[in-house]
């Protein structure tokens, strides 16, 4: 199942789809954030923030980039603010 299909299922209220999307991208994002922060606690907190913000903005996901790309951009934006 593609990220776009998972997003559509999430928007229809399927909790399993949200969990699948999280499992698909969490490890890679955590590694990316940890490499930037070098602090486990900060990386975990920022990862949670990224997924919260991504979930909040799922209705505007256009499918032009993968969810991983969108989330990496979100993570990078969040890191620049910190």
């Amino acid at each position: 199942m593609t990220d776009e299909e998972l997003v559509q299922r999430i928007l229809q209220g399927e909790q399993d789809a949200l969990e699948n999307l999280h499992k698909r991208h969490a490890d890679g994002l955590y590694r990316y954030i940890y490499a930037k922060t070098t602090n486990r606690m900060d990386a975990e907190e920022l990862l949670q923030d990224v997924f919260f913000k991504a979930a909040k903005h799922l209705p505007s996901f256009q499918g032009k980039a993968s969810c991983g790309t969108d989330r990496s951009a979100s993570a990078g934006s969040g890191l620049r603010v910190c």
Side-chain angles (χ1 to χ4, degrees):
M1 185 172 300
T2 67
D3 287 344
E4 291 80 10
E5 291 168 328
L6 287 171
V7 168
Q8 289 306 312
R9 288 177 180 234
I10 292 165
L11 293 174
Q12 294 170 358
E14 292 184 32
Q15 184 66 29
D16 289 346
L18 181 59
E19 292 172 16
N20 287 335
L21 195 63
H22 181 271
K23 287 178 185 175
R24 183 178 291 179
H25 296 287
D27 289 343
L29 277 172
Y30 175 81
R31 287 191 300 272
Y32 172 80
I33 295 168
Y34 181 78
K36 298 293 185 183
T37 64
T38 65
N39 181 293
R40 185 180 58 81
M41 298 290 283
D42 288 345
E44 290 173 2
E45 185 175 334
L46 285 167
L47 179 65
Q48 184 177 10
D49 289 347
V50 167
F51 274 103
F52 176 77
K53 289 176 184 177
K56 182 178 175 182
H57 292 96
L58 275 181
S60 65
F61 177 69
Q62 297 177 2
K64 293 180 182 174
S66 72
C67 285
T69 303
D70 285 351
R71 285 191 176 78
S72 292
S74 296
S77 296
L79 291 172
R80 283 192 290 276
V81 173
C82 293

